[in-house]
Amino acid sequence: MNSEKTNNRQPQLPELLAPCGSREAIDAAITGGADAVYFGGTMLNARMNAKNFGREELSSAITECHSAGVKAYITLNTQVYDRELKNALEYVGFLRSAGADALIVADVGLAGLIKKHFPDTELHASTQMTIHNTAGANRLYEYGFSRIVAARELSAENIRTICAGSKAETELFVHGAICVSCSGQCLMSAMLGGRSGNRGECAQPCRMSYSGGYPLSMKDMCLAGHIPELIDSGVKSLKIEGRMKSPSYVYGVTKIYRRLLDENRSAEKAEIFELARLFSRGGFTDGYFTRQIGGEMLGVRSEKDISDTRGALTFHSDKGRNADAAKPKTVAETEKQTITLPDKLEFPPKTPFRKPTVTARFRSASQIPDNCSLDHIYLPLSKYESLADGVILPPVIFDDEAYETKRKLEKAVEKGAKHIMLCNIGQLGLAKQFGLIPHGDFRLNVFNSFSAGYYAETENFDSLLLSCELTLPQIRDIHFKSDTRKAVVVYGRLPLMLLEKTVGRNMLRDTRGAVFPILPEDNRDILYNSVPVYMADQLDRLDKAGVEERHMIFSDESRGDVMKVLYAYSHGIIPKENIRRIK
């Protein structure tokens, strides 16, 4: 809608991208002035609890968007199991024939299959892929993504750096809900209640009470006060969050940002007030963008917030949808046009099972027992000592942290590091650069054989930790063509959240009395589960699932505790304490 808009500093305004969880919300976004909208269907959708769209509705909605000159991006922004990939590809064929302008994808395995079978499909990398630096953006561009949805935690400076150095377009969230955990790095809902955020079912445990307060509940983001700066940054698309919110919210927020973009100015107090009336959790925050990160970023939705929203403007669509108005193809007609897919996907063959190795990570060298018999020992980059042969990179390395990270890595190599645990797609070139043997961390969110194959084969990983959310039958069925060992976390408190905003305490206690330790590591805090994974008495099940590397996470354990755990795993001891099993 703004192709003719120009200003003295940039030839084209960023796209304004609005959220739609229902057909009414699409009308609201179009009326409010969106250039593009994003919405999802009934599968592979990170907002599975929104109304969403059936196939005929999807086709009709895309047609309506195009009739209004608005682009339609469809979300496939969850991780995908092996058994779902064939149906996912068929669904992609339907979306292409329905006219979807781009697909927002979170799973590298699915992305690779889409590029193979539908090579001209435009792919946008979901924020769930934890894209927080230029290296990650360029890696995904080389893989076939034309756009990345940047992590919400980025500062203005790091946004400008990515925009200047990335070959891919940059899309940025500018308004709506944000998480206290770094984008794509939260396991809390999955581990505590079995509802995976990576699968679109987050139960929002961060909004619950802990230790008598709400230390994990964040205010909504609002960057309406930074519009000229955002235009200057080179961001291609400004994205509003809110597929679970009402059409009135979509219309009101879109309308205000449309006005601000067109007038190249920041919001006035009255406009911020109106945005807060539409939806607020005790106000807004721009703390990540400005790097003013602190307790003022926290907020909960009060009775006053709810009352204000009831009194805010409302939107009612007056569009009549008669049979003569831009009638879409029917589902049957659309499906006839999809590209023919193979009857079944060619999964990599199962490789012979090798004798398992045992590895572990520690928070500090003081936890490592004397004469430790582990195959590999890892320490965090900032605490690396020669007692370990492997180093773990920080999961998040912003562009302004890259120089210091490489300097520390050089020192680790000088001290004797031989192996490196890679935690993000933007780190994949570092092993070769520093002459280290690469291993893949569970933070890569590998859920299927094709994702595993991408990471294992392109980087020649020595081992690859699969997602901590998988069951043993799902782990058993994952195969990939390489010598990479299939690895699983078999002991330890799982890191539930990687915190960009510190909580300011060393633990949280929930309303049931469960205690969650919070420990610092490489410039960020990590919130750990209240109980450890424990499989010492079920090693035969790990063998049957083809787990060739058993990995342990030692967080708050003493050296004595570590020795007890290693003894338990060498003797198959049944646990007496509360534990978590791999199902």
Side-chain angles (χ1 to χ4, degrees):
M1 294 174 69
N2 296 309
S3 58
E4 301 301 322
K5 280 282 181 190
T6 60
N7 56 54
N8 293 330
R9 290 167 293 180
Q10 188 174 325
Q12 185 174 354
L13 292 179
E15 169 188 88
L16 181 58
L17 177 58
C20 299
S22 67
R23 189 60 180 269
E24 293 75 19
I26 288 180
D27 294 343
I30 292 172
T31 306
D35 297 305
V37 298
Y38 65 102
F39 52 96
T42 56
M43 64 183 294
L44 307 182
N45 182 349
R47 290 293 182 268
M48 289 304 294
N49 293 323
K51 285 185 180 180
N52 297 314
F53 299 79
R55 291 203 174 192
E56 191 162 344
E57 269 192 309
L58 272 169
S59 183
S60 176
I62 292 170
T63 298
E64 179 179 343
C65 290
H66 291 171
S67 296
V70 170
K71 290 184 177 181
Y73 305 147
I74 309 302
T75 58
L76 286 80
N77 54 345
T78 66
Q79 302 300 324
V80 188
Y81 298 135
D82 274 330
R83 59 179 170 79
E84 298 171 325
L85 286 167
K86 180 66 167 62
N87 287 340
L89 275 182
E90 186 275 329
Y91 181 50
V92 170
F94 161 74
L95 293 174
R96 280 177 47 82
S97 63
D101 293 285
L103 305 180
I104 304 171
V105 178
D107 189 290
V108 295
L110 175 60
L113 288 170
I114 292 172
K115 297 306 290 185
K116 177 181 178 180
H117 294 282
F118 308 103
D120 59 343
T121 301
E122 184 171 339
L123 296 181
H124 296 177
S126 167
T127 190
Q128 285 294 107
M129 298 185 84
T130 319
I131 311 129
H132 56 261
N133 60 29
T134 304
N138 282 332
R139 182 75 182 216
L140 287 169
Y141 177 82
E142 292 166 4
Y143 190 50
F145 287 90
S146 61
R147 177 183 294 188
I148 60 100
V149 185
R152 290 169 168 89
E153 301 80 46
L154 288 171
S155 67
E157 177 185 355
N158 283 312
I159 290 166
R160 286 194 296 271
T161 301
I162 288 179
C163 291
S166 170
K167 298 174 184 177
E169 298 175 351
T170 302
E171 180 176 300
L172 183 71
F173 279 100
V174 295
H175 195 92
I178 54 175
C179 301
V180 67
S181 178
C182 292
S183 300
Q185 296 298 313
C186 183
L187 293 174
M188 197 165 188
S189 182
M191 296 298 114
L192 270 58
R195 292 176 55 182
S196 169
N198 284 315
R199 296 276 298 164
E201 300 171 340
C202 181
Q204 296 190 315
C206 54
R207 304 296 182 192
M208 306 298 289
S209 173
Y210 299 91
S211 302
Y214 294 87
L216 300 177
S217 181
M218 302 280 280
K219 294 176 180 176
D220 277 18
M221 170 197 289
C222 178
L223 300 187
H226 302 277
I227 295 301
E229 190 174 358
L230 288 167
I231 294 173
D232 282 344
S233 72
V235 169
K236 179 67 174 180
S237 179
L238 303 185
K239 187 173 192 173
I240 300 165
E241 184 276 338
R243 285 193 285 145
M244 297 289 290
K245 295 188 174 78
S246 69
S248 295
Y249 169 90
V250 173
Y251 170 69
V253 175
T254 303
K255 182 178 180 181
I256 290 173
Y257 275 88
R258 173 78 278 147
R259 183 192 314 139
L260 298 177
L261 273 173
D262 288 346
E263 297 176 9
N264 193 1
R265 65 174 177 85
S266 295
E268 299 172 354
K269 287 184 178 180
E271 290 163 320
I272 297 293
F273 176 76
E274 184 58 32
L275 288 168
R277 288 185 72 201
L278 290 162
F279 191 92
S280 168
R281 290 186 173 92
F284 293 123
T285 180
D286 61 359
Y288 287 144
F289 187 82
T290 62
R291 302 314 287 170
Q292 301 298 310
I293 298 175
E296 65 280 359
M297 296 178 72
L298 298 176
V300 295
R301 189 147 167 81
S302 66
E303 290 298 325
K304 182 181 183 303
D305 293 330
I306 295 170
S307 176
D308 287 347
T309 297
R310 290 195 188 106
L313 66 87
T314 58
F315 175 83
H316 299 287
S317 175
D318 59 359
K319 290 187 177 182
R321 297 190 179 90
N322 57 57
D324 298 324
K327 184 178 179 181
K329 301 178 179 68
T330 65
V331 173
E333 291 171 334
T334 301
E335 289 178 339
K336 288 177 183 176
Q337 299 178 37
T338 60
I339 296 174
T340 302
L341 292 170
D343 292 334
K344 61 180 183 178
L345 292 179
E346 293 184 10
F347 284 86
K350 185 176 181 179
T351 55
F353 182 64
R354 293 165 288 187
K355 181 181 178 181
T357 58
V358 182
T359 63
R361 69 183 68 187
F362 299 83
R363 286 192 62 252
S364 75
S366 64
Q367 296 172 293
I368 303 173
D370 295 332
N371 301 316
C372 192
S373 60
L374 294 164
D375 291 284
H376 296 303
I377 297 173
Y378 297 90
L379 283 170
L381 180 62
S382 61
K383 295 183 178 180
Y384 183 78
E385 298 292 342
S386 57
L387 284 173
D389 64 345
V391 61
I392 304 173
L393 288 182
V396 168
I397 306 170
F398 292 145
D399 277 310
D400 60 7
E401 298 171 324
Y403 175 80
E404 183 65 16
T405 298
K406 291 182 179 180
R407 190 183 67 81
K408 290 179 180 178
L409 196 49
E410 287 175 353
K411 289 189 174 182
V413 172
E414 290 172 3
K415 290 181 179 180
K418 303 296 182 186
H419 299 259
I420 186 169
M421 186 72 77
L422 304 173
C423 302
N424 183 271
I425 197 167
Q427 301 171 358
L428 296 188
L430 291 177
K432 185 178 294 184
Q433 182 178 344
F434 286 89
L436 296 168
I437 299 170
H439 301 256
D441 194 44
F442 64 87
R443 292 188 181 278
L444 294 172
N445 285 332
V446 171
F447 274 67
N448 60 65
S449 297
F450 291 91
S451 292
Y454 169 72
Y455 286 117
E457 293 161 27
T458 59
E459 292 303 307
N460 195 27
F461 279 172
D462 190 71
S463 66
L464 175 62
L465 281 163
L466 304 182
S467 168
C468 298
E469 298 183 43
L470 297 175
T471 64
L472 284 176
Q474 290 167 336
I475 291 167
R476 176 199 63 209
D477 292 341
I478 290 179
H479 308 296
F480 37 93
K481 295 177 183 176
S482 82
D483 293 329
T484 303
R485 287 182 172 271
K486 182 161 57 174
V488 172
V489 175
V490 301
Y491 172 80
R493 297 179 186 267
L494 294 177
L496 300 184
M497 287 185 173
L498 180 67
L499 302 171
E500 186 64 24
K501 194 204 84 60
T502 60
V503 177
R505 59 187 79 185
N506 60 11
M507 68 87 173
L508 293 179
R509 189 186 304 274
D510 71 11
T511 55
R512 301 167 301 166
V515 174
F516 301 85
I518 300 175
L519 303 171
E521 185 173 308
D522 288 323
N523 302 325
R524 289 171 178 85
D525 284 353
I526 297 176
L527 186 148
Y528 287 88
N529 204 356
S530 59
V531 296
V533 171
Y534 188 95
M535 297 292 288
D537 56 327
Q538 298 192 5
L539 299 183
D540 58 333
R541 294 183 64 215
L542 298 174
D543 289 344
K544 291 176 182 177
V547 177
E548 297 179 316
E549 180 176 309
R550 288 85 191 270
H551 187 73
M552 301 181 181
I553 297 175
F554 293 108
S555 53
D556 61 349
E557 291 89 348
S558 67
R559 181 183 291 194
D561 294 332
V562 172
M563 292 175 67
K564 290 178 182 178
V565 170
L566 295 178
Y567 181 84
Y569 271 78
S570 64
H571 291 79
I573 294 175
I574 298 172
K576 296 179 181 179
E577 302 81 9
N578 290 333
I579 58 158
R580 177 181 178 82
R581 295 287 198 190
I582 303 175
K583 295 180 180 179

